[in-house]
């Protein structure tokens, strides 16, 4: 997963005042090595970010391998799903 690509996706798809690509000074998206940081000055739903993340993963065809898990009130992370190749080979 390319972090700069994911950052650009979030910047282009986050809605502010019901308009896409309208971040202005209310919302900022930045990334550090393995983290994407979304800072807001307005009330913002973590569920909406989780929705956009799932949508991005589906677009990149990674949704079947990664899972979005909330780790605490303000963060979530992506974890790999356990894939059972033995069952697929038996069929």
């Amino acid at each position: 997963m390319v972090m700069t690509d994911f950052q650009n996706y979030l910047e282009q798809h986050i809605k502010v005042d019901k308009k896409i690509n309208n971040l202005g000074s209310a919302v900022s998206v930045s990334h550090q090595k393995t983290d994407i940081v979304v800072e807001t000055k307005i009330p913002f739903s973590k569920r909406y970010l989780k929705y956009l993340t799932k949508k991005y993963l589906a677009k990149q065809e990674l949704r079947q391998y990664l899972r979005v898990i909330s780790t605490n009130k303000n963060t979530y992370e992506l974890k790999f799903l356990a894939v059972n190749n033995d069952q697929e080979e038996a069929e």
Side-chain angles (χ1 to χ4, degrees):
M1 189 167 142
V2 180
M3 297 305 279
T4 55
D5 187 35
F6 182 48
Q7 176 188 359
N8 290 336
Y9 179 83
L10 288 177
E11 288 173 350
Q12 294 172 0
H13 288 86
I14 290 177
K15 288 185 181 180
V16 177
D17 296 330
K18 300 180 182 178
K19 296 179 185 175
I20 294 178
N21 210 3
N22 184 28
L23 297 181
S25 62
V27 178
S28 67
V29 180
S30 62
H31 85 281
Q32 300 159 354
K33 295 181 183 179
T34 59
D35 298 330
I36 298 286
V37 178
V38 179
E39 296 181 39
T40 65
K41 296 179 182 175
I42 58 174
F44 203 77
S45 171
K46 185 173 85 168
R47 181 176 283 181
Y48 180 60
L49 286 177
K50 191 172 181 179
Y51 163 78
L52 287 176
T53 302
K54 288 180 180 182
K55 195 171 176 182
Y56 174 79
L57 291 174
K59 180 180 173 187
Q60 299 296 321
E61 299 176 356
L62 296 172
R63 182 80 173 100
Q64 59 189 356
Y65 304 111
L66 295 171
R67 184 172 179 191
V68 183
I69 298 175
S70 177
T71 54
N72 64 30
K73 184 179 178 185
N74 294 323
T75 63
Y76 66 85
E77 60 185 35
L78 303 177
K79 293 201 177 196
F80 283 102
L81 290 172
V83 178
N84 295 332
N85 290 331
D86 297 335
Q87 291 178 352
E88 293 176 6
E89 291 175 3
E91 295 176 358

